[in-house]
């Protein structure tokens, strides 16, 4: 059997698999302009990269941290996958979550992936956080730290 035709199929799926680059199936952005010092008890909900280490969830459905909104802020539209751009260890960088609500400020040091309709964002976050992609991201992060 060819590499692009799986042995086990869900009903209704008959076409061969197509390999695609993530850049063909998603857009990328970077959160900016916020630090832990910007958090307050009022304002819009916000996610900073540290939350993915301290209060990790695969899917963020509600956010309890807040901040005043700065000009040029990146706001979620719902369904974005966020990945830390830095961390204490390479394993921390290879951790992804989905932001389901819209209107959430996506703060500093977050890589933001907005998949198109063909990709389930929860599947993408889990795939990035485990398995082969997790190991690849972890390895690349270690290489970058070693050569820094």
């Amino acid at each position: 059997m060819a590499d692009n035709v799986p042995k086990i199929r869900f009903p209704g799926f008959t076409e061969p698999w197509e390999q695609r680059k993530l850049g063909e199936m998603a857009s990328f952005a970077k959160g900016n302009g916020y630090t832990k010092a910007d958090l307050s008890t009022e304002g819009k909900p916000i996610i900073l990269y540290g939350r993915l280490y301290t209060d990790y969830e695969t899917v963020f459905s509600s956010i309890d941290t807040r901040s005043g909104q700065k000009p040029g802020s990146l706001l979620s539209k719902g369904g974005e996958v966020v990945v830390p751009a830095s961390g204490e260890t390479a394993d921390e960088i290879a951790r992804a979550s989905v932001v389901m609500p819209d209107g959430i400020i996506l703060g500093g040091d977050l890589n933001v992936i907005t998949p198109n309709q063909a990709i389930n964002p929860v599947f993408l976050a889990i795939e990035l956080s485990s398995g082969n992609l997790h190991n690849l991201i972890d390895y690349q992060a270690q290489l970058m730290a070693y050569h820094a």
Side-chain angles (χ1 to χ4, degrees):
M1 191 169 277
D3 287 342
N4 65 347
V5 179
K7 294 176 186 174
I8 300 173
R9 302 300 301 254
F10 287 109
F13 290 89
T14 57
E15 299 295 318
W17 287 348
E18 294 181 23
Q19 184 172 345
R20 302 276 178 95
K21 293 185 178 197
L22 185 56
E24 298 171 10
M25 306 295 290
S27 61
F28 300 88
K30 183 118 165 75
N32 60 22
Y34 291 87
T35 66
K36 195 174 177 181
D38 293 314
L39 298 180
S40 67
T41 57
E42 297 180 357
K44 293 185 81 59
I46 184 172
I47 297 175
L48 297 176
Y49 80 100
R51 174 139 185 192
L52 276 68
Y53 313 133
T54 59
D55 193 14
Y56 174 72
E57 300 173 55
T58 301
V59 177
F60 288 112
S61 54
S62 65
I63 312 299
D64 59 359
T65 50
R66 299 192 168 278
S67 177
Q69 185 176 345
K70 297 178 181 180
S73 298
L74 181 61
L75 299 178
S76 68
K77 294 180 179 143
E80 289 88 352
V81 176
V82 293
V83 182
S86 64
E88 296 291 322
T89 67
D91 190 55
E92 288 179 348
I93 296 172
R95 183 177 295 187
S97 295
V98 179
V99 180
M100 292 308 282
D102 65 348
I104 306 298
I105 299 170
L106 302 176
D109 235 7
L110 285 177
N111 292 312
V112 181
I113 306 168
T114 305
N116 71 17
Q117 297 298 321
I119 300 176
N120 180 306
V122 177
F123 173 83
L124 179 59
I126 292 170
E127 184 64 25
L128 290 171
S129 297
S130 60
N132 291 337
L133 282 177
H134 173 80
N135 295 338
L136 178 62
I137 293 169
D138 191 336
Y139 174 74
Q140 291 294 330
Q142 288 177 33
L143 281 179
M144 290 183 344
Y146 177 75
H147 294 303

